[in-house]
Structure formats: C-alpha cells, structure tokens
Amino acid sequence: MILIRSLVYFVLMALTVLTHGLTIVLLHRFVPVETSDRIATHWGKVNIWLQRVVCGLRINMLGAENLPTHSAIIMAKHQSTWETISLRGLLVPHQSWVLKKELLSIPVFGQALIACRAIAIDRKAGRKAVVTVIKEGKKALQDGRLVVVFPEGTRTAPGQRKKYGIGGAILAEKTGYPIVPIAHNAGVYWKRRGVKKYPGTIEVRVGKPMETKGKSAAEIIAEVEQWIEGELEKPPNQLP
C-alpha cells in the first residue's frame, strides 16, 4: 500500500510541476517576478497537502516564529527530495534557491526556476561557483529575497554527516545578512533513494536568526553546522 500511495503521489506531483510550471513559463514575461514567486509557493503548498492526504506525511514545525520575511539566508539540512519541494511552500514566496545548473535543463521545470530567480551553479567550478553565489545572492538579498542554500550540496542519509560547503557562509560574510538554520528529519520518511514515502510526522526545527556581521565564513559555517547537527541529535517532539 505504501508503494502504491507513493506512486500515486509521484504522478500527482509531476502533474503539479507541469501545471504550475507551464503557468509560470507562459506568464513570467508579462507579470512581475512576485507573481511567479506566488505560483511557485502555491505549488509547494499543494504538494504539502498531497503528501499529507496521499502519503500520510505530516509536518510538525518548531520555531516557526523564526522564519524570516525578507533579506535572509536560509541554510537547511539536505536529506531528501522533500525539502526541495516543501520548503518552497513553508517559506515566504520571494525565494532564490542556490541549485545545480543541471536542473535548468529539465523542460518546463528549468524555465520556471529561471523565472523565479534561481541561482544556478556548476558544482565542479569551484571558486567560480562561489563567485556566482556571491554576485547573484547579494542582488537577491538587496531586493528583499530569501536565498535558500543546502550547505551539504547533496542529500545525506539520516545519521550521516557530510562536510558543509562554505559558499553560503561567504555570501553571509560579504553581505552581513543573517542566516536562519533549518534542521529536519525528512530522510527518515522520504529516503534519498527509492520511491516509497512512509507515513509519519516530519519534524522541522527553525533556529533563531544568526548574526553574521564581523564573523569569518569559517566561523559562520561552523556555527550553522553545530546548530543543525546538534538539533538532529535530539529526539523528536511528540505531537499531542
């Protein structure tokens, strides 16, 4: 039954990518970017609803009052595909995601990402990729947007740790904007490999904004990693 529900969700999710993505692609030349942002965020919210109804996958968010409304860098744990979909619906609409450039080649989806001011990088480019994050990220922040970064770069299974990349921290060092860390255990229910989405409650923990002014990138990323990984070591809170 879990497999069947997971496949049903996958089909419905693909349809939402097509409907929302096409809407963004067709309209973005004629409407402000805020409209594309709102459509993309609606896509995230629809998928959160589908995950709950079809897969029995719920969310318990702690620290929602810490979610920023403008000009901040979001650094989130990367365990599964869940956060690349659901964070879109949990955050305010004006978001610019740092992501691998290969995603832009996906028909419709890639064009929609561009319309929503995604920051695409070549992960093999090293320093050049960091320069891109700083240049485009700074402009997005100055425009009041959130810059969303997965510092691990790739998905990491629950219980495992991967070195945190420093690109987002350099952006924070150069601009002085705060970082809001997000920890979650989505990988327990939505494996980084495989089709099945197991029913349960994903716990999302949002940390208080971290001040970055006067700190080095190394200090910043160490603080972010310590907070996120420390939260993951704590047992999840049980819903009443």
Side-chain angles (χ1 to χ4, degrees):
M1 183 61 71
I2 290 176
L3 177 59
I4 293 174
R5 288 183 176 182
S6 299
L7 290 173
V8 169
Y9 170 72
F10 179 81
V11 171
L12 293 174
M13 185 270 289
L15 287 174
T16 65
V17 169
L18 187 61
T19 56
H20 287 71
L22 275 176
T23 302
I24 291 172
V25 171
L26 292 174
L27 292 180
H28 85 279
R29 295 183 182 277
F30 310 103
V31 298
V33 67
E34 289 79 10
T35 301
S36 296
D37 287 336
R38 287 194 293 270
I39 296 170
T41 296
H42 182 264
W43 170 77
K45 291 181 182 297
V46 167
N47 272 274
I48 290 172
W49 180 80
L50 288 172
Q51 291 161 16
R52 184 176 70 252
V53 172
V54 178
C55 303
L57 199 52
R58 291 173 166 77
I59 299 171
N60 178 30
M61 181 180 289
L62 305 176
E65 69 277 6
N66 297 322
L67 288 174
T69 57
H70 67 281
S71 297
I73 301 167
I74 301 291
M75 287 198 182
K77 184 69 179 176
H78 199 11
Q79 287 189 345
S80 72
T81 304
W82 175 86
E83 56 269 20
T84 65
I85 298 172
S86 300
L87 284 183
R88 180 77 234 191
L90 294 174
L91 301 172
V92 293
H94 37 282
Q95 308 166 29
S96 289
W97 287 56
V98 176
L99 44 78
K100 58 184 179 181
K101 69 174 186 179
E102 290 83 358
L103 293 175
L104 301 186
S105 63
I106 300 175
V108 180
F109 184 69
Q111 293 170 285
L113 289 175
I114 294 172
C116 292
R117 292 184 60 177
I119 301 172
I121 61 171
D122 181 352
R123 294 189 296 184
K124 299 178 181 178
R127 182 176 178 80
K128 186 177 179 181
V130 175
V131 170
T132 300
V133 171
I134 295 171
K135 180 181 178 180
E136 297 189 25
K138 182 178 181 180
K139 189 176 187 307
L141 290 166
Q142 290 174 338
D143 289 342
R145 302 177 69 81
L146 304 184
V147 175
V148 184
V149 182
F150 296 118
E152 292 164 295
T154 57
R155 291 170 290 179
T156 306
Q160 297 182 3
R161 294 180 67 161
K162 182 178 175 62
K163 182 180 179 181
Y164 279 43
I166 204 166
I170 295 177
L171 172 63
E173 177 190 346
K174 298 292 185 183
T175 63
Y177 285 101
I179 289 175
V180 175
I182 296 179
H184 61 82
N185 61 349
V188 173
Y189 307 97
W190 187 320
K191 310 295 183 183
R192 64 191 182 117
R193 295 189 179 92
V195 176
K196 292 182 179 179
K197 284 78 176 169
Y198 296 88
T201 300
I202 295 173
E203 184 158 294
V204 180
R205 298 182 180 181
V206 184
K208 293 181 180 180
M210 296 178 176
E211 291 299 326
T212 61
K213 293 179 180 178
K215 297 179 182 178
S216 69
E219 291 173 327
I220 292 168
I221 199 63
E223 185 178 352
V224 170
E225 182 175 1
Q226 182 180 23
W227 189 90
I228 290 177
E229 298 300 328
E231 289 298 308
L232 292 175
E233 291 175 359
K234 299 176 182 178
N237 288 338
Q238 298 297 316
L239 289 175

